[in-house]
Amino acid sequence: MKTPASPRTPLDFYQAMQAGFGWHVPEHFNMAEVCSRRWAAQPDAHERVAVVEHLMSELGGQAVPPRRYTYAQLQQAADALSHVLADLGVQRGDRVAIVLPQRFETAVAYIAVMQMGAVAMPLSLLFGPEALEYRLQDSEAVVAIVDATSVHNVLAVRAHCPALREVVGIDLNNASDMLRVDVDYTSAIATQQRAFTAVQSKADDGAVLIYTSGTTGPPKGALIPHRALIGNLTGFVCSQNWFGFPTAPSTDKATSAAVFWSPADWAWTGGLMDALLPTLYFGCPIVAWSGRFGPELAFTLMQQHGVTHTFLFPTALKAMMKAYPEPRHQFKLQLQAIMSAGEAVGDAVFGYCQAQLGVTVNEMFGQTEINYIVGNCAMNGHPRDGIGWPAKPGSMGKGYPGHRVAVIDEDGHECPAGVPGDVALNRYNQHGQPDPIFFLGYWKNETSTLGKFTGDWCRTGDLAVRDVDGYLWYQGRADDVFKSAGYRIGPSEIENCLVKHPAVANAAVVPKPDAERGALVKAYVVLAAGFEGSDALVTELQTHVRGKLAPYEYPKEIEFIHELPMTTTGKVQRRVLRLQEEDRAKTSSDKPRL
């Protein structure tokens, strides 16, 4: 009998995987084709579930019974919507705004827009009118697709968006709203029963335009090509413990039984590129929930639908841990993998996931421009020996297969182990092949695009240290963008909003350290002449920002000061204020507790 080979160590597996991995990117590639049309062409298309949808009823805010939509239904609806959009004059390369929650029609919209060769532009329901107006104007979106949750804000700014020719409304129960939109979705697609002939887009063509916060100036639109999905898949597969592949060498059954759910908004990179599209790519069902997140809701959904794979922010996991210290006493779970990103998970949550959920959480790191490049692949309990690599609590992980990730200094040279530097991704992998995960550039902003690179290295703006095993450890932002409760916060947009209030002469927004959220949004405000600081004014300014931007962007704390620290060239020194907040937090934590 042949002696069995010794199992490979995780380090051996990682090195072998990186050495043997190569990219294959066809000249022509379309996300809609691989995420929907190819599955709709299979014999089981009418049984294979694509989306399990939960909507909130109008009365009482209760969930209606879930609806299951197959890949055949997804493609049929997408074909109909593509015809509707074509009749509205949407052409190849045009931007179509998708302002929808997690629901079946959101998936339909992405497939319909992308198979036309147009560009899908997701916009969060959390955006207020001012945030929506900027993005609609800057992108010159020609059509917006809305439902009852977003129609009012879009219609409120429509007059200021001259390129926006048509608004398509879904499930608008208000007669006034129905009269103000141009197209009723249900009626329009009912008249379109023909199959749509998809365009033959190139892999380098733009597919999605996602606006990301910036530290200077307004938000920037990152144009994502179709090929980026290919570059995204290695990170998704590894962080989700080999999602889409056989779970054991003795079976050829792929994870067709896998069910994905995440509360991450499908309008954000995390929800779109880390959840919706990769799940559809593997022909698996994804659960769509349109209500508010809560620990009980999360566990109930996962139990009800046998969710096997998920992406949960650390703040969500913390809330679940506090609400249900021993969740398996109340819920029957089938979890196989948890990916987490946005901030450090921390030892307590890491241990909770292992002990109480039976899963080692895989932390991940990426950004809209180059998503899913670093992370872990714990593969705990996997039947295959030597698969994956162990997760170190608190570490960002290692570069995923096909991505050449390094920590670099200001000159673009790789830093030795233990020396902090900027996390960066090279345009080429270690075999010299172009990495397909890269964005095409910032929309109408070549200067910022060029500034993102040092030679072939794309800088993330996040500082980290690499240890001797190749794991990265997050050190903080190199610029002024920060994360609060998993959301990326760009100070300039909030500052701009504050300054529009008559009481504000100038403002600077910085993170204030917070044990629960990682950071709170804090604003330093210089008052205009004739105004005095007060609790009432703080509340008024908070309401002002909350009404114009996303709820998570409003400053939780406002401090009135006489002047902001400035450079000699007139730029606000946010770093001075940020360090001041860090010193205050340290001083406060050092005080003895009575």
PDB file of all heavy atoms in Angstrom, residues 257-271:
ATOM      1  N   ALA A 257     -25.261  23.973  -2.323  1.00  0.00           N
ATOM      2  CA  ALA A 257     -26.142  24.150  -1.177  1.00  0.00           C
ATOM      3  C   ALA A 257     -25.779  25.403  -0.393  1.00  0.00           C
ATOM      4  O   ALA A 257     -26.441  25.726   0.584  1.00  0.00           O
ATOM      5  CB  ALA A 257     -26.065  22.927  -0.273  1.00  0.00           C
ATOM      6  N   ALA A 258     -24.726  26.102  -0.807  1.00  0.00           N
ATOM      7  CA  ALA A 258     -24.308  27.307  -0.106  1.00  0.00           C
ATOM      8  C   ALA A 258     -25.369  28.392  -0.236  1.00  0.00           C
ATOM      9  O   ALA A 258     -25.975  28.569  -1.294  1.00  0.00           O
ATOM     10  CB  ALA A 258     -22.976  27.812  -0.658  1.00  0.00           C
ATOM     11  N   VAL A 259     -25.594  29.096   0.855  1.00  0.00           N
ATOM     12  CA  VAL A 259     -26.538  30.222   0.883  1.00  0.00           C
ATOM     13  C   VAL A 259     -25.810  31.406   1.505  1.00  0.00           C
ATOM     14  O   VAL A 259     -25.244  31.288   2.595  1.00  0.00           O
ATOM     15  CB  VAL A 259     -27.805  29.892   1.692  1.00  0.00           C
ATOM     16  CG1 VAL A 259     -28.734  31.105   1.739  1.00  0.00           C
ATOM     17  CG2 VAL A 259     -28.524  28.689   1.108  1.00  0.00           C
ATOM     18  N   PHE A 260     -25.843  32.547   0.816  1.00  0.00           N
ATOM     19  CA  PHE A 260     -25.103  33.726   1.287  1.00  0.00           C
ATOM     20  C   PHE A 260     -26.066  34.791   1.786  1.00  0.00           C
ATOM     21  O   PHE A 260     -27.141  34.999   1.232  1.00  0.00           O
ATOM     22  CB  PHE A 260     -24.259  34.317   0.152  1.00  0.00           C
ATOM     23  CG  PHE A 260     -23.155  35.232   0.631  1.00  0.00           C
ATOM     24  CD1 PHE A 260     -21.862  34.764   0.749  1.00  0.00           C
ATOM     25  CD2 PHE A 260     -23.420  36.552   0.967  1.00  0.00           C
ATOM     26  CE1 PHE A 260     -20.840  35.596   1.199  1.00  0.00           C
ATOM     27  CE2 PHE A 260     -22.421  37.389   1.425  1.00  0.00           C
ATOM     28  CZ  PHE A 260     -21.128  36.914   1.530  1.00  0.00           C
ATOM     29  N   TRP A 261     -25.668  35.465   2.860  1.00  0.00           N
ATOM     30  CA  TRP A 261     -26.381  36.654   3.310  1.00  0.00           C
ATOM     31  C   TRP A 261     -25.416  37.603   3.977  1.00  0.00           C
ATOM     32  O   TRP A 261     -24.485  37.183   4.676  1.00  0.00           O
ATOM     33  CB  TRP A 261     -27.485  36.316   4.319  1.00  0.00           C
ATOM     34  CG  TRP A 261     -28.065  37.565   4.932  1.00  0.00           C
ATOM     35  CD1 TRP A 261     -28.878  38.482   4.328  1.00  0.00           C
ATOM     36  CD2 TRP A 261     -27.809  38.068   6.252  1.00  0.00           C
ATOM     37  NE1 TRP A 261     -29.158  39.526   5.186  1.00  0.00           N
ATOM     38  CE2 TRP A 261     -28.523  39.297   6.383  1.00  0.00           C
ATOM     39  CE3 TRP A 261     -27.065  37.615   7.337  1.00  0.00           C
ATOM     40  CZ2 TRP A 261     -28.489  40.054   7.551  1.00  0.00           C
ATOM     41  CZ3 TRP A 261     -27.045  38.372   8.504  1.00  0.00           C
ATOM     42  CH2 TRP A 261     -27.753  39.577   8.595  1.00  0.00           C
ATOM     43  N   SER A 262     -25.623  38.890   3.739  1.00  0.00           N
ATOM     44  CA  SER A 262     -24.864  39.929   4.426  1.00  0.00           C
ATOM     45  C   SER A 262     -25.735  41.164   4.525  1.00  0.00           C
ATOM     46  O   SER A 262     -26.474  41.490   3.587  1.00  0.00           O
ATOM     47  CB  SER A 262     -23.580  40.273   3.655  1.00  0.00           C
ATOM     48  OG  SER A 262     -22.951  41.414   4.227  1.00  0.00           O
ATOM     49  N   PRO A 263     -25.661  41.871   5.647  1.00  0.00           N
ATOM     50  CA  PRO A 263     -26.393  43.137   5.749  1.00  0.00           C
ATOM     51  C   PRO A 263     -25.742  44.261   4.969  1.00  0.00           C
ATOM     52  O   PRO A 263     -26.306  45.360   4.880  1.00  0.00           O
ATOM     53  CB  PRO A 263     -26.370  43.422   7.255  1.00  0.00           C
ATOM     54  CG  PRO A 263     -25.128  42.760   7.744  1.00  0.00           C
ATOM     55  CD  PRO A 263     -24.986  41.518   6.913  1.00  0.00           C
ATOM     56  N   ALA A 264     -24.552  44.025   4.399  1.00  0.00           N
ATOM     57  CA  ALA A 264     -23.853  45.069   3.652  1.00  0.00           C
ATOM     58  C   ALA A 264     -24.712  45.546   2.476  1.00  0.00           C
ATOM     59  O   ALA A 264     -25.187  44.744   1.667  1.00  0.00           O
ATOM     60  CB  ALA A 264     -22.506  44.543   3.148  1.00  0.00           C
ATOM     61  N   ASP A 265     -24.889  46.838   2.391  1.00  0.00           N
ATOM     62  CA  ASP A 265     -25.699  47.470   1.348  1.00  0.00           C
ATOM     63  C   ASP A 265     -25.138  47.129  -0.027  1.00  0.00           C
ATOM     64  O   ASP A 265     -23.943  47.277  -0.278  1.00  0.00           O
ATOM     65  CB  ASP A 265     -25.676  48.992   1.579  1.00  0.00           C
ATOM     66  CG  ASP A 265     -26.661  49.746   0.712  1.00  0.00           C
ATOM     67  OD1 ASP A 265     -27.172  49.179  -0.270  1.00  0.00           O
ATOM     68  OD2 ASP A 265     -26.913  50.931   1.009  1.00  0.00           O
ATOM     69  N   TRP A 266     -26.006  46.698  -0.929  1.00  0.00           N
ATOM     70  CA  TRP A 266     -25.575  46.366  -2.291  1.00  0.00           C
ATOM     71  C   TRP A 266     -25.157  47.600  -3.080  1.00  0.00           C
ATOM     72  O   TRP A 266     -24.705  47.494  -4.217  1.00  0.00           O
ATOM     73  CB  TRP A 266     -26.677  45.621  -3.029  1.00  0.00           C
ATOM     74  CG  TRP A 266     -26.973  44.259  -2.473  1.00  0.00           C
ATOM     75  CD1 TRP A 266     -26.287  43.598  -1.493  1.00  0.00           C
ATOM     76  CD2 TRP A 266     -28.028  43.370  -2.873  1.00  0.00           C
ATOM     77  NE1 TRP A 266     -26.841  42.362  -1.242  1.00  0.00           N
ATOM     78  CE2 TRP A 266     -27.919  42.201  -2.081  1.00  0.00           C
ATOM     79  CE3 TRP A 266     -29.053  43.454  -3.812  1.00  0.00           C
ATOM     80  CZ2 TRP A 266     -28.801  41.130  -2.213  1.00  0.00           C
ATOM     81  CZ3 TRP A 266     -29.930  42.393  -3.943  1.00  0.00           C
ATOM     82  CH2 TRP A 266     -29.801  41.233  -3.154  1.00  0.00           C
ATOM     83  N   ALA A 267     -25.307  48.780  -2.498  1.00  0.00           N
ATOM     84  CA  ALA A 267     -24.844  50.004  -3.148  1.00  0.00           C
ATOM     85  C   ALA A 267     -23.378  50.289  -2.832  1.00  0.00           C
ATOM     86  O   ALA A 267     -22.785  51.177  -3.435  1.00  0.00           O
ATOM     87  CB  ALA A 267     -25.700  51.199  -2.716  1.00  0.00           C
ATOM     88  N   TRP A 268     -22.808  49.558  -1.879  1.00  0.00           N
ATOM     89  CA  TRP A 268     -21.408  49.734  -1.508  1.00  0.00           C
ATOM     90  C   TRP A 268     -20.578  48.599  -2.100  1.00  0.00           C
ATOM     91  O   TRP A 268     -21.086  47.519  -2.411  1.00  0.00           O
ATOM     92  CB  TRP A 268     -21.237  49.748   0.007  1.00  0.00           C
ATOM     93  CG  TRP A 268     -21.941  50.862   0.701  1.00  0.00           C
ATOM     94  CD1 TRP A 268     -23.068  50.777   1.475  1.00  0.00           C
ATOM     95  CD2 TRP A 268     -21.593  52.247   0.687  1.00  0.00           C
ATOM     96  NE1 TRP A 268     -23.424  52.015   1.953  1.00  0.00           N
ATOM     97  CE2 TRP A 268     -22.545  52.940   1.485  1.00  0.00           C
ATOM     98  CE3 TRP A 268     -20.558  52.970   0.083  1.00  0.00           C
ATOM     99  CZ2 TRP A 268     -22.493  54.319   1.687  1.00  0.00           C
ATOM    100  CZ3 TRP A 268     -20.511  54.345   0.296  1.00  0.00           C
ATOM    101  CH2 TRP A 268     -21.459  54.994   1.085  1.00  0.00           C
ATOM    102  N   THR A 269     -19.284  48.828  -2.201  1.00  0.00           N
ATOM    103  CA  THR A 269     -18.392  47.792  -2.719  1.00  0.00           C
ATOM    104  C   THR A 269     -18.526  46.509  -1.913  1.00  0.00           C
ATOM    105  O   THR A 269     -18.560  45.416  -2.481  1.00  0.00           O
ATOM    106  CB  THR A 269     -16.927  48.283  -2.678  1.00  0.00           C
ATOM    107  OG1 THR A 269     -16.823  49.510  -3.404  1.00  0.00           O
ATOM    108  CG2 THR A 269     -16.000  47.253  -3.306  1.00  0.00           C
ATOM    109  N   GLY A 270     -18.605  46.627  -0.587  1.00  0.00           N
ATOM    110  CA  GLY A 270     -18.706  45.443   0.260  1.00  0.00           C
ATOM    111  C   GLY A 270     -19.930  44.611  -0.029  1.00  0.00           C
ATOM    112  O   GLY A 270     -19.890  43.381   0.038  1.00  0.00           O
ATOM    113  N   GLY A 271     -21.053  45.249  -0.325  1.00  0.00           N
ATOM    114  CA  GLY A 271     -22.271  44.510  -0.609  1.00  0.00           C
ATOM    115  C   GLY A 271     -22.360  44.031  -2.042  1.00  0.00           C
ATOM    116  O   GLY A 271     -22.868  42.944  -2.314  1.00  0.00           O
TER     117      GLY A 271
END
